Amino acid sequence: MGYSPAMDLTYSNRPSAEEIIAAVPGLAPYPRAAVVLAPERGEPTVHQSSVGGPLLWPADEPWPHCGVPDEKSASGSPASAMVAVVQVYRRDAPGDWWPEGKDVFQLLWCPNVHWDPPAPQADVSPVAEIRWRNSADVTRILGSPPLPVRQEDPGYGYTPVPCTLTPVPLLDFPYAQGLPDAELVESVLEYVEATGDGDDVITCVAGIKFGGWPTWRLTDPDDVPCLTCGAPSRLLFTVGSDLTTKIIVGRWGDFRVFACPVGDEHGYIFDLH
């Protein structure tokens, strides 16, 4: 595994999962596997996991455009090209979140604020699309994707700067206020205060993350129901605001992707928190 300075800033003060459970035994049933992808400014290639880098995109596949009304165009016209946000190779973030036969995850979004987009998009956020790929199927790669015809200030907001990604596997724990037992909630909060140096590094792991638990900074934790069957969805991916990537989501929040446990055919729910 490579090294990124971001690892020092984000995770150096976080106890191990074993230490967390030893200090708060009631958390033992709750850990979920996650892989945080720590960014570092660089020049990634299409064959690397990256933020804001080039995508392994087939030359014969249309690049996604967004025609949803946004704050710069009340009609959403002309449709504007989306930008590459994140590409992750399976080798960097192995886990049960991968569909069978796929080894590349790609997230794109329109770099504009959309106030009232259709479901499953999130209000007051970029409109997003996801692609899963088998890298072996991509034999001819798109050289120059189209550029957006309008966007928020480039390089700050919804247009990320190119970064390489270093995987940091960890066990993630749920936000304290979402736990069912009041005494356990109090124990977790006391431990967070004792170990976090002003930040919650126990139950509020954000950044760029596969799997794990969702962050809840603005509201109490709640279920995110599947729009197809109503089942509680599970967190798939998080893009957190970050100075290294220059992604600023909402008011320094997190863009979250939830997936139905039934399967990919039920689609995804995009959420800004």
Side-chain angles (χ1 to χ4, degrees):
M1 179 183 296
Y3 170 80
S4 168
M7 294 170 63
D8 279 345
L9 298 175
T10 309
Y11 309 109
S12 61
N13 294 328
R14 189 179 195 261
S16 68
E18 292 77 13
E19 291 173 312
I20 293 171
I21 292 172
V24 188
L27 284 176
Y30 294 102
R32 286 182 181 174
V35 177
V36 178
L37 296 148
E40 183 177 7
R41 297 284 179 85
E43 297 182 2
T45 72
V46 296
H47 301 295
Q48 290 179 281
S49 298
S50 66
V51 169
L55 301 185
L56 186 75
W57 195 273
D60 59 354
E61 181 177 322
W63 189 264
H65 285 65
C66 176
V68 178
D70 57 59
E71 67 176 5
K72 292 182 177 293
S73 171
S75 67
S77 180
S80 184
M82 291 189 171
V83 299
V85 182
V86 178
Q87 173 171 271
V88 182
Y89 278 81
R90 185 171 189 158
R91 61 178 180 265
D92 291 326
D96 61 8
W97 39 76
W98 288 92
E100 185 176 354
K102 306 298 183 183
D103 64 351
V104 181
F105 168 86
Q106 297 169 336
L107 172 67
L108 306 91
W109 64 33
C110 176
N112 295 288
V113 173
H114 302 77
W115 295 101
D116 189 24
Q121 305 293 336
D123 290 342
V124 198
S125 79
V127 167
E129 288 200 18
I130 284 175
R131 297 285 193 279
W132 298 95
R133 302 195 186 280
N134 181 344
S135 59
D137 293 340
V138 185
T139 56
R140 293 177 55 245
I141 301 171
L142 181 66
S144 300
L147 298 175
V149 296
R150 59 186 176 277
Q151 64 189 113
E152 297 297 294
D153 294 337
Y156 201 81
Y158 294 129
T159 306
V161 298
C163 294
T164 58
L165 294 172
T166 297
V168 184
L170 52 78
L171 289 177
D172 204 3
F173 292 90
Y175 200 58
Q177 284 82 349
L179 294 167
D181 181 85
E183 290 187 9
L184 178 57
V185 171
E186 186 62 28
S187 297
V188 172
L189 293 176
E190 290 176 356
Y191 186 59
V192 165
E193 184 176 356
T195 59
D197 193 26
D199 293 317
D200 181 356
V201 296
I202 306 299
T203 72
C204 202
V205 176
I208 300 166
K209 180 175 73 174
F210 251 120
W213 289 89
T215 55
W216 298 95
R217 294 188 177 92
L218 303 178
T219 65
D220 289 336
D222 199 3
D223 286 338
V224 178
C226 171
L227 298 178
T228 301
C229 68
S233 296
R234 195 177 179 98
L235 181 66
L236 171 68
F237 199 78
T238 303
V239 180
S241 299
D242 183 81
L243 287 175
T244 301
T245 64
K246 289 197 173 180
I247 293 175
I248 309 298
V249 179
R251 297 181 179 179
W252 202 262
D254 299 325
F255 185 87
R256 310 180 301 182
V257 181
F258 291 85
C260 178
V262 172
D264 298 339
E265 62 271 17
H266 281 199
Y268 303 100
I269 301 168
F270 301 103
D271 173 84
L272 189 149
H273 187 80

